[in-house]
Amino acid sequence: MDEKNQKRQDILNSAMALFKDKGFHNTKMEDIAVAASVGKGTLYEYFENKQDIFDEACIEYVDVIIENIKYISNRDDTFNNKLLILFNEKLKMESEFSNMSIDNILSNKNIISEQTIKTIIGKITEMYSLICHIVDQGKEEGVVKKNIQSEITACLIVGAMGEYLRLKTHNKENKIQEGDIIFDLLYNGFAVK
Amino acid sequence: MDEKNQKRQDILNSAMALFKDKGFHNTKMEDIAVAASVGKGTLYEYFENKQDIFDEACIEYVDVIIENIKYISNRDDTFNNKLLILFNEKLKMESEFSNMSIDNILSNKNIISEQTIKTIIGKITEMYSLICHIVDQGKEEGVVKKNIQSEITACLIVGAMGEYLRLKTHNKENKIQEGDIIFDLLYNGFAVK
Amino acid sequence: MDEKNQKRQDILNSAMALFKDKGFHNTKMEDIAVAASVGKGTLYEYFENKQDIFDEACIEYVDVIIENIKYISNRDDTFNNKLLILFNEKLKMESEFSNMSIDNILSNKNIISEQTIKTIIGKITEMYSLICHIVDQGKEEGVVKKNIQSEITACLIVGAMGEYLRLKTHNKENKIQEGDIIFDLLYNGFAVK
Amino acid sequence: MDEKNQKRQDILNSAMALFKDKGFHNTKMEDIAVAASVGKGTLYEYFENKQDIFDEACIEYVDVIIENIKYISNRDDTFNNKLLILFNEKLKMESEFSNMSIDNILSNKNIISEQTIKTIIGKITEMYSLICHIVDQGKEEGVVKKNIQSEITACLIVGAMGEYLRLKTHNKENKIQEGDIIFDLLYNGFAVK
DNA sequence: AATGAATGAGTATTCATTCAT
DNA sequence: CATGAATGAATACTCATTCAT
């Protein structure tokens, strides 16, 4: 029974790697079967159809990210450090999975099934609440302004980080200064005092 | 001659609408022909192939955004106001074209031709330099910190705005406070002074 | 009116050249129009359709050959010389029109219309009777055996010539001895006396 | 494994029959699939594409002819008899496959792939050497003139036979005398001694 | 359970032909 | 008369899915 789960996981991993690399329509069931070292027919023993594999792979992908953030959130560490780790982790993941960030998953709206979209949006909400939790810790530590809704602060953090990484990815010629500058901006804003 | 350009534009508009709605693979040449009220064969009088139409539609889409930002940048207005307008415009566009933001275009890497990807990245760079120009104006007005590279500040602005909108889009149940809060964060940061 | 005929002829010549070079299906109406320096629509002023052009071109092609043989037949010359000239002419034509000998025209049975096939076969019969006429002259001159039906002799001559040329065409590395040897064979046979 | 080869052969046979009957362009993949009682997709399990099927069918066709001649050549029989059998066999084949003689295959230059053309020309060369071998036997038997290159004699034989058959095919109203007359011509020529 | 040979629905593209100018 | 922009019927080929083994 556990062996069954293992094979299912193998297929999912192989599929995810291919989807990330080539997209949904350019990944053939044959490719997945070969990559997972099983017969084409076997895929249908474990999954309903191609769509199903893609949906599950997307959910799995988001789950990994959530686990990651959950782990960071639960660390015994200061807000400052957690933020730094979050940034570095996001950076690592994005570069590794450059073709399939969460944003991109959601841009595949026409590919993922309606139901799975809802599931993923739910998970993103979960992810946000984890980050809000970290922000709340910052508030308790007296580091983060208390009068601003944590969701908004989280939004700023996630958005700035993401854009920073996107920019680094597209703009290979690194005209951008080092990452801690963005931290200064997040903490203190760009306005002259 | 101009009539020819008009028909080309008509096809492009019809195609763009369909691509935004249904994605590349789910949009059939037949669909485009019907939507543009021309014969299937006519599409090939104006475009090389489906790929070509998609590429052109993507470029067109980015061009519209750039024109928008260029217009804002060239206004005779203060930095503060330009930022506000930029935010509102982005909001308007994103909701209108919710399925096809620039990020999403770039997540179609496996669909758009290599050459067109380069063209679009070039245009994004152009877009960034327009926003940097606005930031520079803020510096001259003494509103924005001078010791931080404008690209970084622009990155913070774009990222925060984008994420804020994404959040609003996914999280229909609006738990998020009003938009000017995010401006306060951008200007002053989240750190307790 | 004669100008009309001239343009018709131009189209036919251009078409024939293309058909010989690329075959029926690989020759597009557009190609013919361009080659004849007329508009695509104009082709339909002079011909019913593509099929019609092909049919007429084939007939024209055969007509040229017949005219050629007729000319040889009518010369004031000996049988021996006429045969020699015939051979050289056939050689010239075959190499020039290597992709479209009469045999090949007939191998296009599924392309040429039934009616035109009949016309062409009629013309081939005419061609044969011209050659028979030359053979008859040989008989009168006392050079050719009288007790063998002229058609058979003509058949031997045409067949041997044709095969000789085909061989030369396919077998670029010329292992074959010079052409007058074949004449010796035709005149005297290969049997030891 | 052998079953696989069998199905491949079935497809090839069905395809060959259709190509012979209707030509390359008028034979649809669907037709072949129906004729071979398989699905359209199955054709692509056994062949690269339509071109590939045609090429293979042509080669197969020539191979059958070669096998036939090889068999005749290897018989324990006199030159005279072998020639007679060759003639009758050719007659049988040509009438059976009237739309697809070797000449016709080669007239499909624009259809068959360059590589396959070379293969077929190679096979024709092989066929010629088999016939030359028969001629050599004639020389040894003292029946055929030794001072004439065997290739030339073979050329005369093949050409005369082919033309004779072509004539019979086109000229349904049989004005042509019986076949052994042509043998007399081949052996003794048409010249008065 | 696992397989992969067989399948055929689905689609981009071509090109002969038409007809408004 | 001449044209070429517009057309859509026709077709090779792909690939997710099935099912007999």
Side-chain angles (χ1 to χ4, degrees), chain B residues 151-182:
Chain B
E151 274 84 5
I152 294 282
T153 305
C155 170
L156 184 79
I157 292 168
V158 170
M161 279 181 181
E163 183 64 16
Y164 178 77
L165 293 167
R166 235 167 285 146
L167 215 58
K168 276 195 112 166
T169 307
H170 300 157
N171 241 322
K172 296 287 164 62
E173 347 127 17
N174 210 330
K175 286 195 281 187
I176 308 295
Q177 287 172 12
E178 266 323 290
D180 39 343
I181 303 286
I182 202 116

Side-chain angles (χ1 to χ4, degrees), chain B:
Chain B
M1 192 50 165
D2 206 74
E3 194 192 334
K4 182 138 181 137
N5 264 316
Q6 184 53 51
K7 185 167 277 188
R8 197 187 140 88
Q9 194 58 48
D10 289 348
I11 293 173
L12 220 41
N13 292 339
S14 303
M16 207 182 334
L18 287 164
F19 285 138
K20 275 186 290 204
D21 185 32
K22 315 175 5 161
F24 181 77
H25 286 284
N26 292 322
T27 299
K28 312 303 171 197
M29 289 304 266
E30 174 102 40
D31 299 341
I32 299 176
V34 169
S37 301
V38 298
K40 233 181 316 169
T42 307
L43 300 179
Y44 292 87
E45 293 281 325
Y46 292 87
F47 298 91
E48 205 66 34
N49 50 33
K50 188 180 174 184
Q51 186 60 238
D52 188 26
I53 300 182
F54 188 68
D55 281 13
E56 298 257 19
C58 286
I59 290 175
E60 177 105 356
Y61 174 81
V62 178
D63 275 342
V64 169
I65 294 175
I66 297 227
E67 281 317 304
N68 230 320
I69 299 180
K70 201 175 280 175
Y71 174 76
I72 296 170
S73 175
N74 289 337
R75 285 170 64 95
D76 180 19
D77 215 332
T78 62
F79 166 77
N80 286 344
N81 283 337
K82 284 186 179 175
L83 201 60
L84 201 61
I85 295 167
L86 192 66
F87 183 82
N88 288 327
E89 281 300 311
K90 193 162 166 48
L91 187 139
K92 211 162 44 180
M93 287 188 321
E94 292 277 340
S95 62
E96 184 188 352
F97 299 142
S98 61
N99 274 331
M100 206 181 185
S101 73
I102 291 187
D103 293 350
N104 294 358
I105 287 180
L106 284 168
S107 81
N108 284 326
K109 271 204 195 65
N110 310 107
I111 297 176
I112 312 183
S113 73
E114 205 59 41
Q115 179 53 49
T116 303
I117 288 272
K118 278 184 194 142
T119 305
I120 289 174
I121 288 183
K123 283 175 187 293
I124 290 179
T125 308
E126 189 187 340
M127 190 194 79
Y128 248 88
S129 78
L130 285 168
I131 295 177
C132 283
H133 198 249
I134 296 176
V135 171
D136 287 339
Q137 182 187 344
K139 286 181 179 176
E140 274 166 39
E141 290 176 10
V143 179
V144 176
K145 286 176 184 165
K146 288 209 170 75
N147 62 326
I148 292 176
Q149 202 189 7
S150 298
E151 274 84 5
I152 294 282
T153 305
C155 170
L156 184 79
I157 292 168
V158 170
M161 279 181 181
E163 183 64 16
Y164 178 77
L165 293 167
R166 235 167 285 146
L167 215 58
K168 276 195 112 166
T169 307
H170 300 157
N171 241 322
K172 296 287 164 62
E173 347 127 17
N174 210 330
K175 286 195 281 187
I176 308 295
Q177 287 172 12
E178 266 323 290
D180 39 343
I181 303 286
I182 202 116
F183 275 79
D184 179 53
L185 270 180
L186 286 172
Y187 277 83
N188 301 312
F190 55 64
V192 172
K193 297 296 147 58

Side-chain angles (χ1 to χ4, degrees), chain A residues 8 29 43-53:
Chain A
R8 196 186 142 88
M29 289 301 267
L43 299 180
Y44 291 86
E45 294 284 330
Y46 292 86
F47 298 92
E48 205 64 33
N49 52 31
K50 188 182 177 186
Q51 188 58 238
D52 187 28
I53 299 182

